[in-house]
Amino acid sequence: MSPRFAVAVPSTSAKSHLDHTVLEDFPKRIWTTGPLSPMRIKKDDADRVRTWMDLNPEHRYELLTDGGAETYVKDHFPLDSRISKTYLSLSDYIMRADLIRYLALLQDGGVYNDVDVGCLKPIDLWIPPAFKDNTSVVLGIEVDNEMGPGRSKLFELVNWTIMSRRNAPFMRYLVDRVIRNLENDAAKHNTTLFSLQPKRQEVIDVTGPAALTQAAFQYLSEKTQTTVDMHNFTKMRRPKLVADILVLPINAFGAGHQVQWSGTDEDGSALVHHYFAGSWKTNHFDGPTEEEKKAEEEKKKEEDRKKKEEEDRKKKEEEDKKIKEESEKKRAEEERRKNEDDEKKKAELEQKARKEAEANKQKVTIENQSSEQGHKDSQGQVQQEQQSDQEPQEEDQESGVEQQDGQEQESGDEHGAGEEEHQNTTPAGQPGPDPHAGQTQGKEAKAESAKEEEKLSISVVQQERQRAINELNRVNAVRRKTREEAIKKIVADRKKDVEERKKDEENKKKLAELEERKSKQQAPVANTPIAADQGQAQSASKEQAQSNVPAQQHAPDP
Protein backbone atom coordinates (compact mmCIF):
# COMPACT_ATOMS: atom_id res chain seq x y z
CA MET A 1 0.00 0.00 0.00
CA SER A 2 1.37 3.43 -0.96
CA PRO A 3 2.17 5.98 1.78
CA ARG A 4 -0.64 8.37 2.63
CA PHE A 5 1.53 11.50 2.70
CA ALA A 6 4.19 12.13 0.09
CA VAL A 7 5.72 14.73 -2.13
CA ALA A 8 4.54 14.32 -5.74
CA VAL A 9 6.98 12.32 -7.85
CA PRO A 10 7.12 11.85 -11.63
CA SER A 11 4.45 9.49 -12.93
CA THR A 12 5.23 6.55 -15.19
CA SER A 13 2.09 7.21 -17.23
CA ALA A 14 2.10 8.78 -20.66
CA LYS A 15 3.18 12.36 -21.09
CA SER A 16 -0.33 13.71 -21.75
CA HIS A 17 -3.91 12.50 -21.50
CA LEU A 18 -5.57 15.61 -22.83
CA ASP A 19 -7.38 13.63 -25.54
CA HIS A 20 -8.81 11.11 -23.07
CA THR A 21 -12.56 11.72 -22.72
CA VAL A 22 -13.78 8.63 -20.90
CA LEU A 23 -15.10 9.40 -17.39
CA GLU A 24 -13.19 7.26 -14.93
CA ASP A 25 -13.92 6.95 -11.24
CA PHE A 26 -12.74 9.77 -8.96
CA PRO A 27 -9.13 8.99 -8.00
CA LYS A 28 -8.44 8.68 -4.29
CA ARG A 29 -5.82 11.39 -4.21
CA ILE A 30 -5.71 14.65 -2.23
CA TRP A 31 -3.57 17.49 -3.58
CA THR A 32 -2.23 20.64 -1.96
CA THR A 33 0.54 23.11 -2.71
CA GLY A 34 3.07 24.86 -0.50
CA PRO A 35 6.55 26.37 -0.58
CA LEU A 36 7.87 24.08 2.19
CA SER A 37 8.61 20.39 2.53
CA PRO A 38 6.26 18.14 4.57
CA MET A 39 8.76 18.09 7.45
CA ARG A 40 8.74 21.90 7.73
CA ILE A 41 5.00 22.50 7.52
CA LYS A 42 3.51 24.71 10.27
CA LYS A 43 1.70 23.08 13.17
CA ASP A 44 -1.71 24.62 12.35
CA ASP A 45 -1.41 23.51 8.73
CA ALA A 46 -0.28 20.06 9.86
CA ASP A 47 -3.38 19.76 12.04
CA ARG A 48 -5.56 20.58 9.03
CA VAL A 49 -3.68 18.10 6.85
CA ARG A 50 -4.35 15.46 9.51
CA THR A 51 -8.14 16.02 9.17
CA TRP A 52 -7.95 14.96 5.52
CA MET A 53 -5.88 11.88 6.32
CA ASP A 54 -8.02 10.84 9.31
CA LEU A 55 -11.37 11.16 7.50
CA ASN A 56 -10.08 9.68 4.23
CA PRO A 57 -7.75 6.79 5.15
CA GLU A 58 -7.91 5.26 1.64
CA HIS A 59 -6.72 8.45 -0.09
CA ARG A 60 -3.11 9.36 -0.85
CA TYR A 61 -2.11 12.88 0.26
CA GLU A 62 0.16 14.73 -2.21
CA LEU A 63 2.05 17.96 -1.36
CA LEU A 64 3.40 19.87 -4.36
CA THR A 65 6.24 22.14 -3.22
CA ASP A 66 7.66 24.81 -5.52
CA GLY A 67 10.39 22.50 -6.76
CA GLY A 68 8.08 19.50 -6.91
CA ALA A 69 5.53 21.45 -8.99
CA GLU A 70 8.14 22.27 -11.66
CA THR A 71 9.22 18.62 -11.77
CA TYR A 72 5.56 17.54 -12.06
CA VAL A 73 4.98 19.83 -15.08
CA LYS A 74 8.18 18.73 -16.82
CA ASP A 75 7.37 15.04 -16.29
CA HIS A 76 3.70 15.18 -17.34
CA PHE A 77 3.63 17.74 -20.17
CA PRO A 78 5.98 18.14 -23.15
CA LEU A 79 8.56 20.86 -22.63
CA ASP A 80 7.65 22.51 -25.93
CA SER A 81 3.95 22.48 -25.18
CA ARG A 82 2.01 25.65 -24.44
CA ILE A 83 1.28 24.41 -20.90
CA SER A 84 4.94 23.80 -19.98
CA LYS A 85 6.17 27.04 -21.54
CA THR A 86 3.52 29.09 -19.72
CA TYR A 87 4.04 27.53 -16.29
CA LEU A 88 7.85 27.51 -16.39
CA SER A 89 7.95 31.14 -17.63
CA LEU A 90 5.59 32.38 -14.94
CA SER A 91 7.33 33.95 -11.93
CA ASP A 92 4.45 35.06 -9.66
CA TYR A 93 4.09 32.29 -7.05
CA ILE A 94 0.32 32.75 -6.52
CA MET A 95 -0.47 32.50 -10.24
CA ARG A 96 1.77 29.40 -10.38
CA ALA A 97 -0.14 27.91 -7.40
CA ASP A 98 -3.47 28.50 -9.17
CA LEU A 99 -2.27 26.97 -12.42
CA ILE A 100 -0.59 23.89 -10.89
CA ARG A 101 -3.79 22.85 -9.06
CA TYR A 102 -5.69 22.88 -12.36
CA LEU A 103 -2.91 20.91 -14.10
CA ALA A 104 -2.71 18.26 -11.34
CA LEU A 105 -6.50 17.71 -11.39
CA LEU A 106 -6.48 17.58 -15.19
CA GLN A 107 -3.64 15.07 -15.29
CA ASP A 108 -4.33 12.81 -12.27
CA GLY A 109 -7.70 13.89 -10.84
CA GLY A 110 -8.72 13.73 -7.17
CA VAL A 111 -9.43 16.54 -4.69
CA TYR A 112 -7.43 19.73 -4.43
CA ASN A 113 -7.50 21.89 -1.28
CA ASP A 114 -5.40 24.77 0.03
CA VAL A 115 -3.19 23.91 2.98
CA ASP A 116 -5.32 26.13 5.27
CA VAL A 117 -8.51 24.13 4.52
CA GLY A 118 -9.71 21.45 6.93
CA CYS A 119 -11.88 18.44 6.06
CA LEU A 120 -15.17 18.01 7.96
CA LYS A 121 -16.75 15.01 6.17
CA PRO A 122 -15.29 12.07 4.21
CA ILE A 123 -14.84 12.76 0.50
CA ASP A 124 -16.87 9.66 -0.47
CA LEU A 125 -19.98 11.36 0.99
CA TRP A 126 -19.68 14.60 -1.00
CA ILE A 127 -21.58 13.49 -4.13
CA PRO A 128 -25.19 12.25 -3.82
CA PRO A 129 -25.51 8.79 -5.43
CA ALA A 130 -28.03 10.09 -8.01
CA PHE A 131 -25.38 12.41 -9.50
CA LYS A 132 -22.19 10.37 -9.19
CA ASP A 133 -22.22 8.61 -12.58
CA ASN A 134 -22.80 11.84 -14.55
CA THR A 135 -20.45 14.12 -12.62
CA SER A 136 -16.87 14.86 -13.71
CA VAL A 137 -16.19 18.00 -11.63
CA VAL A 138 -17.53 19.18 -8.24
CA LEU A 139 -17.48 22.92 -7.48
CA GLY A 140 -18.66 25.02 -4.52
CA ILE A 141 -19.90 28.60 -4.04
CA GLU A 142 -17.97 31.28 -2.17
CA VAL A 143 -20.08 34.44 -2.71
CA ASP A 144 -23.80 34.70 -3.44
CA ASN A 145 -25.02 38.26 -2.96
CA GLU A 146 -28.44 37.55 -4.39
CA MET A 147 -29.13 36.18 -0.92
CA GLY A 148 -28.32 39.35 0.99
CA PRO A 149 -25.77 42.16 1.50
CA GLY A 150 -22.09 41.30 1.57
CA ARG A 151 -19.08 41.60 -0.69
CA SER A 152 -18.98 43.87 -3.71
CA LYS A 153 -19.01 40.83 -6.06
CA LEU A 154 -22.38 39.24 -6.70
CA PHE A 155 -21.36 35.62 -7.30
CA GLU A 156 -18.13 33.63 -7.23
CA LEU A 157 -17.14 29.96 -7.12
CA VAL A 158 -14.53 28.47 -4.80
CA ASN A 159 -11.05 27.51 -6.01
CA TRP A 160 -9.61 26.56 -2.58
CA THR A 161 -11.36 23.15 -2.89
CA ILE A 162 -12.08 21.37 -6.23
CA MET A 163 -12.94 17.74 -6.99
CA SER A 164 -12.36 16.25 -10.45
CA ARG A 165 -11.93 13.05 -12.45
CA ARG A 166 -8.84 12.56 -14.60
CA ASN A 167 -8.94 14.45 -17.92
CA ALA A 168 -12.31 16.05 -17.16
CA PRO A 169 -13.44 18.21 -20.13
CA PHE A 170 -14.02 21.25 -17.93
CA MET A 171 -10.50 21.03 -16.49
CA ARG A 172 -9.08 21.05 -20.06
CA TYR A 173 -11.32 24.05 -20.82
CA LEU A 174 -10.23 25.84 -17.63
CA VAL A 175 -6.49 25.29 -18.26
CA ASP A 176 -6.81 26.67 -21.81
CA ARG A 177 -8.74 29.74 -20.59
CA VAL A 178 -6.26 30.50 -17.76
CA ILE A 179 -3.27 30.24 -20.15
CA ARG A 180 -5.04 32.61 -22.56
CA ASN A 181 -5.75 35.02 -19.67
CA LEU A 182 -2.06 35.03 -18.72
CA GLU A 183 -0.93 35.73 -22.27
CA ASN A 184 -3.44 38.59 -22.62
CA ASP A 185 -2.43 40.07 -19.27
CA ALA A 186 1.27 40.05 -20.18
CA ALA A 187 0.47 41.67 -23.54
CA LYS A 188 -1.65 44.32 -21.79
CA HIS A 189 1.31 45.29 -19.63
CA ASN A 190 3.71 44.92 -22.57
CA THR A 191 5.88 42.49 -20.65
CA THR A 192 6.73 38.80 -20.37
CA LEU A 193 5.21 36.23 -18.06
CA PHE A 194 8.44 36.15 -16.10
CA SER A 195 8.40 39.95 -15.56
CA LEU A 196 4.65 40.11 -14.87
CA GLN A 197 3.92 41.64 -11.45
CA PRO A 198 0.17 41.30 -11.00
CA LYS A 199 -1.87 43.15 -8.43
CA ARG A 200 -4.24 41.40 -6.08
CA GLN A 201 -7.45 41.79 -8.11
CA GLU A 202 -5.50 40.91 -11.23
CA VAL A 203 -4.56 37.53 -9.70
CA ILE A 204 -8.20 36.82 -8.81
CA ASP A 205 -9.42 37.69 -12.32
CA VAL A 206 -6.65 36.02 -14.38
CA THR A 207 -5.98 32.72 -12.57
CA GLY A 208 -8.03 32.77 -9.35
CA PRO A 209 -11.70 32.18 -8.42
CA ALA A 210 -13.07 34.85 -10.78
CA ALA A 211 -11.33 33.16 -13.72
CA LEU A 212 -12.72 29.76 -12.58
CA THR A 213 -16.26 31.21 -12.29
CA GLN A 214 -16.26 32.80 -15.76
CA ALA A 215 -14.80 29.65 -17.31
CA ALA A 216 -17.55 27.55 -15.70
CA PHE A 217 -20.35 29.83 -16.95
CA GLN A 218 -18.96 29.87 -20.50
CA TYR A 219 -18.30 26.10 -20.55
CA LEU A 220 -21.84 25.28 -19.35
CA SER A 221 -23.39 27.78 -21.79
CA GLU A 222 -21.61 26.07 -24.66
CA LYS A 223 -22.55 22.60 -23.39
CA THR A 224 -26.24 23.41 -22.88
CA GLN A 225 -26.61 25.88 -25.76
CA THR A 226 -28.25 28.30 -23.28
CA THR A 227 -27.08 31.23 -21.19
CA VAL A 228 -25.76 29.97 -17.88
CA ASP A 229 -24.80 32.54 -15.24
CA MET A 230 -25.20 33.22 -11.53
CA HIS A 231 -29.01 33.10 -11.74
CA ASN A 232 -28.79 29.36 -12.40
CA PHE A 233 -27.14 28.80 -9.00
CA THR A 234 -28.14 31.63 -6.64
CA LYS A 235 -30.19 30.79 -3.53
CA MET A 236 -29.40 27.09 -3.95
CA ARG A 237 -30.33 24.81 -1.06
CA ARG A 238 -29.54 21.50 -2.81
CA PRO A 239 -26.77 20.27 -5.13
CA LYS A 240 -27.42 21.04 -8.78
CA LEU A 241 -25.99 19.20 -11.81
CA VAL A 242 -25.63 21.15 -15.08
CA ALA A 243 -23.99 19.18 -17.93
CA ASP A 244 -21.16 17.28 -16.16
CA ILE A 245 -20.48 19.85 -13.39
CA LEU A 246 -22.08 19.37 -9.96
CA VAL A 247 -22.41 22.67 -8.06
CA LEU A 248 -22.91 22.37 -4.29
CA PRO A 249 -24.78 24.93 -2.12
CA ILE A 250 -22.76 27.69 -0.52
CA ASN A 251 -22.69 26.02 2.89
CA ALA A 252 -20.77 22.97 1.51
CA PHE A 253 -17.41 24.69 0.82
CA GLY A 254 -18.14 28.24 2.10
CA ALA A 255 -19.76 27.63 5.52
CA GLY A 256 -19.16 30.50 7.92
CA HIS A 257 -17.45 32.54 5.18
CA GLN A 258 -18.14 36.21 4.48
CA VAL A 259 -21.91 36.04 4.41
CA GLN A 260 -24.32 35.12 7.18
CA TRP A 261 -26.57 33.02 4.96
CA SER A 262 -23.75 30.57 4.15
CA GLY A 263 -24.55 28.39 7.17
CA THR A 264 -22.11 27.18 9.83
CA ASP A 265 -19.97 24.15 10.50
CA GLU A 266 -22.32 23.07 13.28
CA ASP A 267 -25.45 22.67 11.15
CA GLY A 268 -24.04 19.50 9.54
CA SER A 269 -24.12 20.77 5.95
CA ALA A 270 -20.48 21.91 5.71
CA LEU A 271 -17.97 19.59 4.01
CA VAL A 272 -14.79 21.66 4.52
CA HIS A 273 -13.73 24.75 6.45
CA HIS A 274 -11.44 27.44 5.05
CA TYR A 275 -9.39 29.15 7.80
CA PHE A 276 -7.99 31.95 5.56
CA ALA A 277 -4.48 31.62 6.99
CA GLY A 278 -2.76 32.60 3.73
CA SER A 279 -0.90 35.91 3.39
CA TRP A 280 -0.65 36.25 -0.41
CA LYS A 281 -2.96 39.28 -0.51
CA THR A 282 -0.50 41.39 1.45
CA ASN A 283 2.10 40.78 -1.28
CA HIS A 284 -0.29 41.75 -4.11
CA PHE A 285 -1.69 45.10 -2.97
CA ASP A 286 -3.37 47.35 -5.52
CA GLY A 287 -5.41 49.56 -3.25
CA PRO A 288 -8.48 48.69 -1.22
CA THR A 289 -11.37 46.81 -2.77
CA GLU A 290 -14.97 47.96 -2.43
CA GLU A 291 -15.41 45.58 0.46
CA GLU A 292 -12.29 46.90 2.16
CA LYS A 293 -13.38 50.48 1.52
CA LYS A 294 -16.71 49.73 3.15
CA ALA A 295 -14.94 48.04 6.07
CA GLU A 296 -12.63 51.05 6.37
CA GLU A 297 -15.63 53.38 6.38
CA GLU A 298 -17.28 51.31 9.09
CA LYS A 299 -14.02 51.34 11.04
CA LYS A 300 -13.77 55.12 10.65
CA LYS A 301 -17.38 55.54 11.80
CA GLU A 302 -16.66 53.36 14.81
CA GLU A 303 -13.52 55.37 15.57
CA ASP A 304 -15.46 58.63 15.20
CA ARG A 305 -18.16 57.27 17.47
CA LYS A 306 -15.61 56.25 20.10
CA LYS A 307 -13.85 59.59 19.70
CA LYS A 308 -17.13 61.44 20.21
CA GLU A 309 -17.93 59.28 23.23
CA GLU A 310 -14.47 60.04 24.64
CA GLU A 311 -14.95 63.76 24.00
CA ASP A 312 -18.39 63.65 25.62
CA ARG A 313 -16.93 61.75 28.56
CA LYS A 314 -14.12 64.27 28.97
CA LYS A 315 -16.56 67.14 28.61
CA LYS A 316 -18.80 65.61 31.24
CA GLU A 317 -15.82 65.04 33.53
CA GLU A 318 -14.79 68.68 33.07
CA GLU A 319 -18.34 69.83 33.79
CA ASP A 320 -18.54 67.61 36.84
CA LYS A 321 -15.12 68.84 37.96
CA LYS A 322 -16.20 72.43 37.45
CA ILE A 323 -19.43 71.84 39.36
CA LYS A 324 -17.49 70.12 42.12
CA GLU A 325 -14.95 72.95 42.29
CA GLU A 326 -17.72 75.54 42.38
CA SER A 327 -19.51 73.53 45.03
CA GLU A 328 -16.31 73.18 47.06
CA LYS A 329 -15.58 76.88 46.61
CA LYS A 330 -19.10 77.78 47.64
CA ARG A 331 -18.93 75.42 50.60
CA ALA A 332 -15.55 76.86 51.64
CA GLU A 333 -16.94 80.39 51.35
CA GLU A 334 -19.98 79.43 53.38
CA GLU A 335 -17.72 77.75 55.93
CA ARG A 336 -15.53 80.83 56.09
CA ARG A 337 -18.53 83.12 56.54
CA LYS A 338 -19.97 80.73 59.09
CA ASN A 339 -16.72 80.73 61.06
CA GLU A 340 -16.54 84.51 60.88
CA ASP A 341 -20.14 84.79 62.06
CA ASP A 342 -19.48 82.27 64.79
CA GLU A 343 -16.38 84.14 65.96
CA LYS A 344 -18.23 87.45 65.82
CA LYS A 345 -21.21 86.06 67.69
CA LYS A 346 -18.92 84.39 70.20
CA ALA A 347 -17.07 87.68 70.76
CA GLU A 348 -20.37 89.51 71.18
CA LEU A 349 -21.61 86.93 73.64
CA GLU A 350 -18.36 87.02 75.61
CA GLN A 351 -18.43 90.84 75.66
CA LYS A 352 -22.03 90.76 76.80
CA ALA A 353 -21.15 88.23 79.48
CA ARG A 354 -18.24 90.39 80.64
CA LYS A 355 -20.46 93.48 80.84
CA GLU A 356 -23.11 91.59 82.75
CA ALA A 357 -20.43 90.16 85.06
CA GLU A 358 -19.00 93.64 85.65
CA ALA A 359 -22.48 95.03 86.30
CA ASN A 360 -23.22 92.22 88.74
CA LYS A 361 -19.83 92.76 90.35
CA GLN A 362 -20.53 96.45 90.80
CA LYS A 363 -23.97 95.66 92.17
CA VAL A 364 -22.50 93.19 94.63
CA THR A 365 -19.81 95.70 95.59
CA ILE A 366 -22.41 98.37 96.27
CA GLU A 367 -24.49 95.92 98.27
CA ASN A 368 -21.41 94.86 100.22
CA GLN A 369 -20.47 98.44 100.86
CA SER A 370 -23.99 99.16 102.09
CA SER A 371 -23.94 96.06 104.25
CA GLU A 372 -20.53 96.98 105.62
CA GLN A 373 -21.67 100.53 106.46
CA GLY A 374 -24.77 99.22 108.17
CA HIS A 375 -22.63 96.77 110.08
CA LYS A 376 -20.30 99.56 111.14
CA ASP A 377 -23.26 101.70 112.30
CA SER A 378 -24.70 98.83 114.31
CA GLN A 379 -21.27 98.12 115.77
CA GLY A 380 -20.90 101.75 116.89
CA GLN A 381 -24.32 101.69 118.52
CA VAL A 382 -23.42 98.50 120.40
CA GLN A 383 -20.22 100.08 121.65
CA GLN A 384 -22.16 103.13 122.85
CA GLU A 385 -24.62 100.94 124.73
CA GLN A 386 -21.73 98.98 126.26
CA GLN A 387 -20.11 102.21 127.43
CA SER A 388 -23.37 103.45 129.02
CA ASP A 389 -23.74 100.13 130.83
CA GLN A 390 -20.15 100.28 132.13
CA GLU A 391 -20.70 103.56 134.15
CA PRO A 392 -23.02 102.10 136.93
CA GLN A 393 -20.84 99.00 136.96
CA GLU A 394 -17.83 101.13 137.87
CA GLU A 395 -19.77 102.72 140.76
CA ASP A 396 -20.77 99.30 142.07
CA GLN A 397 -17.18 98.19 141.77
CA GLU A 398 -16.03 101.11 143.97
CA SER A 399 -18.59 100.30 146.71
CA GLY A 400 -17.66 96.67 146.46
CA VAL A 401 -14.04 97.51 147.04
CA GLU A 402 -14.85 99.36 150.21
CA GLN A 403 -16.87 96.43 151.49
CA GLN A 404 -14.15 94.02 150.57
CA ASP A 405 -11.59 96.13 152.54
CA GLY A 406 -13.68 95.86 155.65
CA GLN A 407 -14.11 92.17 155.22
CA GLU A 408 -10.40 91.71 154.69
CA GLN A 409 -9.74 93.16 158.02
CA GLU A 410 -12.24 90.80 159.66
CA SER A 411 -11.57 87.61 157.79
CA GLY A 412 -7.81 87.98 157.22
CA ASP A 413 -5.89 86.35 154.49
CA GLU A 414 -8.55 83.74 153.71
CA HIS A 415 -10.38 86.07 151.32
CA GLY A 416 -7.25 87.42 149.57
CA ALA A 417 -7.76 85.39 146.46
CA GLY A 418 -11.45 86.32 146.29
CA GLU A 419 -10.52 89.94 146.44
CA GLU A 420 -8.46 89.73 143.30
CA GLU A 421 -11.26 87.87 141.56
CA HIS A 422 -13.86 90.51 142.40
CA GLN A 423 -11.65 93.15 140.93
CA ASN A 424 -11.72 91.47 137.44
CA THR A 425 -15.41 90.61 137.15
CA THR A 426 -18.60 92.50 136.46
CA PRO A 427 -21.49 92.58 138.83
CA ALA A 428 -23.23 89.86 136.75
CA GLY A 429 -20.23 87.52 137.18
CA GLN A 430 -19.23 87.51 133.40
CA PRO A 431 -15.91 88.51 131.68
CA GLY A 432 -15.62 92.14 130.59
CA PRO A 433 -16.11 93.22 126.92
CA ASP A 434 -13.15 92.99 124.35
CA PRO A 435 -12.59 96.37 122.67
CA HIS A 436 -11.22 94.65 119.35
CA ALA A 437 -14.16 92.29 118.87
CA GLY A 438 -16.12 94.66 116.57
CA GLN A 439 -13.22 95.13 114.15
CA THR A 440 -12.63 91.36 113.75
CA GLN A 441 -16.28 90.70 112.94
CA GLY A 442 -16.24 93.46 110.25
CA LYS A 443 -13.25 91.91 108.48
CA GLU A 444 -14.85 88.46 108.43
CA ALA A 445 -18.10 89.83 106.99
CA LYS A 446 -16.14 91.67 104.29
CA ALA A 447 -14.24 88.51 103.30
CA GLU A 448 -17.44 86.49 103.13
CA SER A 449 -19.00 89.20 100.96
CA ALA A 450 -16.02 89.15 98.58
CA LYS A 451 -16.24 85.37 98.27
CA GLU A 452 -19.98 85.56 97.55
CA GLU A 453 -19.33 88.25 94.95
CA GLU A 454 -16.64 86.15 93.24
CA LYS A 455 -18.86 83.06 93.20
CA LEU A 456 -21.74 85.06 91.74
CA SER A 457 -19.48 86.56 89.04
CA ILE A 458 -18.11 83.12 88.06
CA SER A 459 -21.63 81.64 87.95
CA VAL A 460 -22.88 84.46 85.71
CA VAL A 461 -19.93 84.05 83.30
CA GLN A 462 -20.45 80.27 83.12
CA GLN A 463 -24.17 80.68 82.44
CA GLU A 464 -23.53 83.22 79.68
CA ARG A 465 -20.85 80.98 78.14
CA GLN A 466 -23.17 77.97 78.20
CA ARG A 467 -25.90 80.05 76.56
CA ALA A 468 -23.40 81.13 73.87
CA ILE A 469 -22.32 77.52 73.25
CA ASN A 470 -25.95 76.34 72.99
CA GLU A 471 -26.75 79.13 70.55
CA LEU A 472 -23.65 78.27 68.47
CA ASN A 473 -24.59 74.58 68.36
CA ARG A 474 -28.11 75.48 67.25
CA VAL A 475 -26.80 77.72 64.45
CA ASN A 476 -24.35 75.00 63.34
CA ALA A 477 -27.14 72.41 63.26
CA VAL A 478 -29.28 74.71 61.09
CA ARG A 479 -26.41 75.38 58.71
CA ARG A 480 -25.48 71.69 58.56
CA LYS A 481 -29.05 70.78 57.68
CA THR A 482 -29.14 73.52 55.01
CA ARG A 483 -25.85 72.27 53.51
CA GLU A 484 -27.08 68.64 53.46
CA GLU A 485 -30.27 69.70 51.70
CA ALA A 486 -28.21 71.67 49.15
CA ILE A 487 -25.96 68.63 48.50
CA LYS A 488 -29.00 66.37 48.10
CA LYS A 489 -30.44 68.81 45.59
CA ILE A 490 -27.16 68.89 43.62
CA VAL A 491 -27.02 65.04 43.57
CA ALA A 492 -30.67 64.87 42.45
CA ASP A 493 -30.04 67.42 39.69
CA ARG A 494 -26.97 65.49 38.57
CA LYS A 495 -28.92 62.23 38.50
CA LYS A 496 -31.66 63.91 36.53
CA ASP A 497 -29.06 65.18 33.99
CA VAL A 498 -27.64 61.63 33.61
CA GLU A 499 -31.13 60.21 33.01
CA GLU A 500 -31.87 62.91 30.46
CA ARG A 501 -28.57 62.15 28.68
CA LYS A 502 -29.45 58.45 28.60
CA LYS A 503 -32.87 59.26 27.17
CA ASP A 504 -31.25 61.48 24.53
CA GLU A 505 -28.83 58.69 23.59
CA GLU A 506 -31.68 56.17 23.36
CA ASN A 507 -33.69 58.58 21.21
CA LYS A 508 -30.69 59.13 18.95
CA LYS A 509 -30.16 55.37 18.67
CA LYS A 510 -33.84 54.82 17.84
CA LEU A 511 -33.69 57.65 15.31
CA ALA A 512 -30.61 56.09 13.71
CA GLU A 513 -32.37 52.70 13.53
CA LEU A 514 -35.43 54.36 11.95
CA GLU A 515 -33.18 56.14 9.43
CA GLU A 516 -31.41 52.87 8.63
CA ARG A 517 -34.74 51.06 8.27
CA LYS A 518 -36.03 53.88 6.09
CA SER A 519 -32.92 53.77 3.88
CA LYS A 520 -33.35 49.99 3.51
CA GLN A 521 -37.01 50.46 2.57
CA GLN A 522 -35.96 53.03 -0.04
CA ALA A 523 -33.43 50.62 -1.62
CA PRO A 524 -33.51 49.96 -5.41
CA VAL A 525 -36.56 48.23 -6.77
CA ALA A 526 -34.47 45.14 -7.59
CA ASN A 527 -34.31 44.34 -3.89
CA THR A 528 -38.06 44.58 -3.23
CA PRO A 529 -40.15 41.40 -2.72
CA ILE A 530 -42.02 42.07 -6.02
CA ALA A 531 -38.78 42.28 -7.98
CA ALA A 532 -37.49 39.20 -6.18
CA ASP A 533 -40.67 37.32 -7.12
CA GLN A 534 -40.25 38.43 -10.74
CA GLY A 535 -36.63 37.28 -10.64
CA GLN A 536 -37.72 33.94 -9.24
CA ALA A 537 -40.34 33.63 -11.95
CA GLN A 538 -37.74 34.39 -14.63
CA SER A 539 -35.35 31.91 -13.02
CA ALA A 540 -38.09 29.29 -12.94
CA SER A 541 -38.85 29.87 -16.61
CA LYS A 542 -35.17 29.57 -17.45
CA GLU A 543 -34.89 26.36 -15.47
CA GLN A 544 -37.95 25.00 -17.27
CA ALA A 545 -36.33 25.90 -20.59
CA GLN A 546 -33.11 24.23 -19.52
CA SER A 547 -34.93 21.12 -18.46
CA ASN A 548 -35.50 20.41 -22.21
CA VAL A 549 -31.74 20.01 -22.62
CA PRO A 550 -30.88 16.30 -22.20
CA ALA A 551 -27.51 16.99 -20.52
CA GLN A 552 -28.98 19.08 -17.67
CA GLN A 553 -30.36 17.38 -14.56
CA HIS A 554 -31.68 18.62 -11.25
CA ALA A 555 -31.52 17.13 -7.81
CA PRO A 556 -34.63 15.31 -6.65
CA ASP A 557 -36.51 16.69 -3.66
CA PRO A 558 -35.27 15.20 -0.42
Side-chain angles (χ1 to χ4, degrees), residues 352-353 356 459-469:
K352 183 179 178 181
E356 290 180 355
S459 176
V460 170
V461 172
Q462 289 178 347
Q463 290 176 1
E464 291 299 327
R465 184 175 295 172
Q466 186 62 39
R467 279 201 300 272
I469 292 172

Side-chain angles (χ1 to χ4, degrees), residues 348-361:
E348 291 175 353
L349 291 174
E350 289 179 352
Q351 186 177 4
K352 183 179 178 181
R354 282 195 300 270
K355 287 182 178 180
E356 290 180 355
E358 289 176 358
N360 291 331
K361 184 177 180 181

